[in-house]
Amino acid sequence: KNEVEQSPQNLTAQEGEFITINCSYSVGISALHWLQQHPGGGIVSLFMLSSGKKKHGRLIATINIQEKHSSLHITASHPRDSAVYICAVSGGGNQFYFGTGTSLTVIP
Amino acid sequence: NAGVTQTPKFQVLKTGQSMTLQCAQDMNHNSMYWYRQDPGMGLRLIYYSASEGTTDKGEVPNGYNVSRLNKREFSLRLESAAPSQTSVYFCASRNRGRDEKLFFGSGTQLSVL
């Protein structure tokens, strides 16, 4: 069983659509991270959450600690948002648990 | 400020050859990590280092060794490469605290023939 589950695995959207990617985890955490990986590219950190909600431009991330669930929302999606989005959790120690990622394609 | 620098970007090895992947960060982070990324699987931890001079095994350490000689550098060595080690490798570092964040290198695509 994976400690971190993401859904959907793959997502195709039309430009301008509102997108939601979900992350559920089964371990106690101190922080949850959303990461972005462009095709053939490196991995960049988008958000770190320990509670509540964060917003950066068109990206919004929320976390519900009681339900062990986080969502990443993209408003007014654009083709440049096409990437793999990865959820990762840390339990306060040195290790992280990673989801397998959600591959997003935004069509013009 | 370069962040995490990882070399090489690409490497092809024959079975049994050895190589070292280099990683350096200039952000004064204590924690550094080596991950491998395979299709359909999440990032899997090979080794990590909580501070200079210390290293610990992760989920998939077999066939690898690491070295953390100073705070900046954390290298990963494959002593005798096997086709099962064909993967994309990422080095990462982490700053802890309220603004905890992971910083990744650009990745190394390794093929073992």
Side-chain angles (χ1 to χ4, degrees), chain A residues 30-48:
Chain A
S30 61
L32 182 143
H33 298 254
W34 282 103
L35 311 170
Q36 181 192 56
Q37 184 176 24
H38 281 285
I43 302 169
V44 297
S45 180
L46 296 175
F47 293 104
M48 186 280 284

Side-chain angles (χ1 to χ4, degrees), chain A residues 9 30-31 33 35 37 40-46 48 54 86 88 90-96 98-101, chain B residues 31 33 35 37 40-45 48 50 57-59 90 94 96-106:
Chain A
Q9 278 192 301
S30 61
H33 298 254
L35 311 170
Q37 184 176 24
I43 302 169
V44 297
S45 180
L46 296 175
M48 186 280 284
K54 284 190 177 177
I86 301 169
S90 62
N94 284 304
Q95 297 201 35
F96 290 83
F98 293 86
T100 54
Chain B
S31 301
Y33 305 83
Y35 294 99
Q37 186 179 44
M41 306 185 80
L43 288 157
R44 291 186 293 168
L45 181 64
Y48 67 97
K57 293 179 181 179
E59 182 184 353
F90 287 96
R94 170 203 204 182
R96 303 192 71 155
R98 280 189 69 230
D99 297 319
E100 178 182 284
K101 195 171 178 180
L102 275 171
F103 297 83
F104 286 85
S106 56

Side-chain angles (χ1 to χ4, degrees), chain B residues 8 30 48 89:
Chain B
N30 283 315
Y48 67 97
Y89 292 83

Side-chain angles (χ1 to χ4, degrees), chain B residues 54-75:
Chain B
T54 70
T55 61
D56 284 288
K57 293 179 181 179
E59 182 184 353
V60 288
N62 291 344
Y64 306 94
N65 285 302
V66 290
S67 178
R68 181 90 183 267
L69 293 177
N70 55 57
K71 197 168 188 179
R72 288 189 69 247
E73 296 170 298
F74 187 38
S75 60

Side-chain angles (χ1 to χ4, degrees), chain B residues 6-80:
Chain B
Q6 182 181 338
T7 57
K9 278 193 76 67
F10 301 96
Q11 184 72 49
V12 179
L13 294 177
K14 293 181 180 177
T15 297
Q17 287 186 317
S18 63
M19 77 161 295
T20 300
L21 282 67
Q22 305 287 353
C23 177
Q25 50 90 12
D26 60 2
M27 296 169 283
N28 204 38
H29 293 164
N30 283 315
S31 301
M32 296 186 74
Y33 305 83
W34 276 106
Y35 294 99
R36 60 178 287 171
Q37 186 179 44
D38 300 292
M41 306 185 80
L43 288 157
R44 291 186 293 168
L45 181 64
I46 304 171
Y47 271 92
Y48 67 97
S49 171
S51 61
E52 178 182 344
T54 70
T55 61
D56 284 288
K57 293 179 181 179
E59 182 184 353
V60 288
N62 291 344
Y64 306 94
N65 285 302
V66 290
S67 178
R68 181 90 183 267
L69 293 177
N70 55 57
K71 197 168 188 179
R72 288 189 69 247
E73 296 170 298
F74 187 38
S75 60
L76 177 73
R77 182 159 178 85
L78 286 71
E79 290 291 353
S80 178

